[in-house]
Each structure stands twice: as structure tokens, then as C-alpha cells.
Amino acid sequence: MGSNFQSNWEDGKMKQDAVTGKMGSNWQVQSEKMPFKPVTHVLFDMDGLLINTEVIYTRTIETILEKYIGPTELSWDIKKKQMGKIAPDLAKLITEEYKLPLTPAEYTAEARVIQEGLFPNCDIMPGAERLIRHLKAHNIPIALATSSAAETFKMKTTFHKDFFKLFDHHVYGSSDPELKRGKPHPDIFIVAASRFPDKPAPQNVLVFEDAPNGVKAATSAGMQVVMVPDPRMDEESRREATLCLTDLHEFKPEWFGLPPFDDLD
């Protein structure tokens, strides 16, 4: 990496352009110089990034709210706080914010019943399979770091088992005994990285996330993070990400020193 790379990185221009979604011709020219620090390992969140389960979480919450307080639309402010949380923290958030006559454990039990009929029908998000298969084909170590429990992971991946077998390992934030804190704490990404046989340093790990809680967890772990947020996400909530994209189709692996795609799509 020569002086051009250093100047691009240090002046922060490319990083800021990425976070604000500026993808013009100047970006395309400078991206060829690898505007971000190179990585060797990649971690992926799951809900809302690889599979479209966030809409199911919203539907679940609104179903329970209607039962106890009448028809209620989940506010975006609370939705944003909910994204990326492990099950106990999510249940605590919803029961307290809406003053439900339920304990977090009771909320979780009711939510699980609703989700059993919905999660198996979720779809893989645009660009996810292409990226995962590309990294796997080039022997890039990849792992899943999801706030889901192992039980709900099985529901969500009912029709996507082959896809999720591509990952070297999975870490389930809501059920892994080694994890005591969920996102936005960095624990899940630190643990996921430590389970690669060569135990990469944080600066060599790239994280993909869709939620502010996950972005905060990744940066707190000392890792770069690519954010693919909900279109409603405000600018402030995107700011901590190393790079912010509309969907995974926009990602170019060579930006982070990874093998480029074999096609020009």
C-alpha cells in the first residue's frame, strides 16, 4: 500500500463518502486503490442482512401489542432500538416501552408461538448468496454472528440449510453459553472471531450488519463494518459504519483487499 492509499485513508474523505452513500465516478476511480484497510476474515449478522426476518419481528410485536393494548403500529424509534438485540433484551424493551402486563419471559414465549408459523417462509436478501458463495469459493474464512437463539435459527433457515452450511461456524447470541451480553456490546463478534482456527486480530476482520446495535458492537470490537440499513435509517444511525450500502449487490470485495468477483455483474 503506497502513499496514495495512506492519503485517501487519512483524510477520511473516502470513508465519509461511503457512509453518506456517495457512489459517483470519483468513488469508482479511488475504490480501485482499496480505500479501506485490508481484511482476511468476514463475519455476518443474519436478520435483515442475509434473510428478511425483520418484517416478521415487526409483525410479531404488533400482534402482541394488539392483543394487550389494541391495534398499535410499532414506532420506528423503537424498531430501530429492537434491531439486533438478543431475545431477552428485545422482550425487555417491548414490555417496558409499551407497559405490557407480561414479563420478558412471557413475551418471548408468546412471540415464539407466532414466529413458528412465519420464520420458515423468510427469503434470502438480495446479493447475499452471491457474496457468501464468492467468499467461500475463494477460501475466505466466514462466520455467522447472529443475535438469534439456535432454536429460532433452525426455524428461519428451514428452507435455506445449504446456504448456511457455507459458513465456517455459527454463533447464536441468545443461546451461546459463552455470551453474557448482546449487541451493542462487542462480545458476539469477539467470540465469533476467536473461533476461527487462526484467531485473527480485530483489525483483520470485516463485519456486515444492518442495525445500529450491530454496527456499534463491531466498531467496539475494533473491526471495520459494512452497513446495509433499512432505507428509513437516519444519517446519524449510519455514521459509525465504515461503509454504508443500499444492498449487498453494491459491495466490491477488492475495497477491503478481498478477491474481486469473477464476473462484471
Side-chain angles (χ1 to χ4, degrees):
M1 293 183 292
S3 59
N4 287 341
F5 172 81
Q6 290 296 332
S7 62
N8 284 342
W9 178 260
E10 290 169 2
D11 70 14
K13 181 179 186 303
M14 288 308 303
K15 183 177 180 183
Q16 182 61 32
D17 283 355
V19 172
T20 55
K22 296 177 183 176
M23 301 287 286
S25 59
N26 190 48
W27 167 272
Q28 297 297 340
V29 171
Q30 295 193 47
S31 71
E32 294 173 6
K33 301 176 182 178
M34 193 171 60
F36 304 105
K37 296 178 182 178
V39 299
T40 56
H41 298 63
V42 187
L43 300 176
F44 289 86
D45 173 51
M46 183 175 71
D47 294 291
L49 177 79
L50 299 179
I51 53 177
N52 66 339
T53 45
E54 282 299 341
V55 293
I56 295 174
Y57 279 106
T58 298
R59 182 173 173 183
T60 299
I61 293 167
E62 291 181 345
T63 298
I64 293 175
L65 293 180
E66 181 173 8
K67 178 179 178 180
Y68 290 98
I69 63 175
T72 305
E73 181 178 349
L74 180 65
S75 74
W76 173 243
D77 284 344
I78 296 177
K79 175 64 181 177
K80 190 168 63 173
K81 294 177 185 177
Q82 166 256 301
M83 296 169 68
K85 286 189 176 294
I86 57 175
D89 292 348
L90 185 159
K92 184 173 185 291
L93 171 71
I94 299 302
T95 54
E96 290 183 354
E97 288 283 353
Y98 289 99
K99 299 180 172 54
L100 297 180
L102 298 170
T103 65
E106 290 170 337
Y107 172 91
T108 300
E110 288 203 25
R112 189 67 51 84
V113 172
I114 297 167
Q115 291 163 350
E116 283 175 353
L118 299 175
F119 277 149
N121 298 313
C122 69
D123 295 318
I124 295 177
M125 296 289 279
E129 188 155 6
R130 176 177 181 249
L131 176 57
I132 298 301
R133 291 192 181 278
H134 169 76
L135 295 175
K136 189 68 175 179
H138 288 274
N139 299 312
I140 303 300
I142 55 175
L144 190 72
T146 174
S147 294
S148 297
E151 182 181 350
T152 52
F153 170 82
K154 290 178 182 178
M155 294 183 209
K156 296 169 183 177
T157 61
T158 300
F159 299 110
H160 307 299
K161 289 183 171 62
D162 288 343
F163 173 68
F164 284 97
K165 285 178 182 177
L166 295 170
F167 292 86
D168 296 316
H169 58 269
H170 301 164
V171 178
Y172 308 114
S174 292
S175 58
D176 192 302
E178 195 173 343
L179 291 172
K180 306 303 180 187
R181 304 182 301 177
K183 302 170 186 177
H185 298 289
D187 307 32
I188 190 168
F189 294 125
I190 293 171
V191 168
S194 74
R195 291 181 184 173
F196 288 116
D198 53 349
K199 302 186 184 305
Q203 63 267 27
N204 294 328
V205 180
L206 178 63
V207 174
F208 281 82
E209 264 286 353
D210 71 305
N213 284 323
V215 170
K216 179 68 174 178
T219 57
S220 296
M223 301 170 184
Q224 295 180 92
V225 55
V226 174
M227 186 184 198
V228 187
D230 185 294
R232 296 171 290 178
M233 198 69 67
D234 58 276
E235 186 64 34
E236 185 61 32
S237 298
R238 302 168 184 242
R239 197 169 299 280
E240 281 194 66
T242 310
L243 172 65
C244 195
L245 303 175
T246 302
D247 65 37
L248 290 172
H249 282 303
E250 291 183 346
F251 181 70
K252 293 190 176 183
E254 59 267 32
W255 289 341
F256 292 89
L258 298 168
F261 285 116
D262 301 318
D263 56 76
L264 299 178
D265 293 340

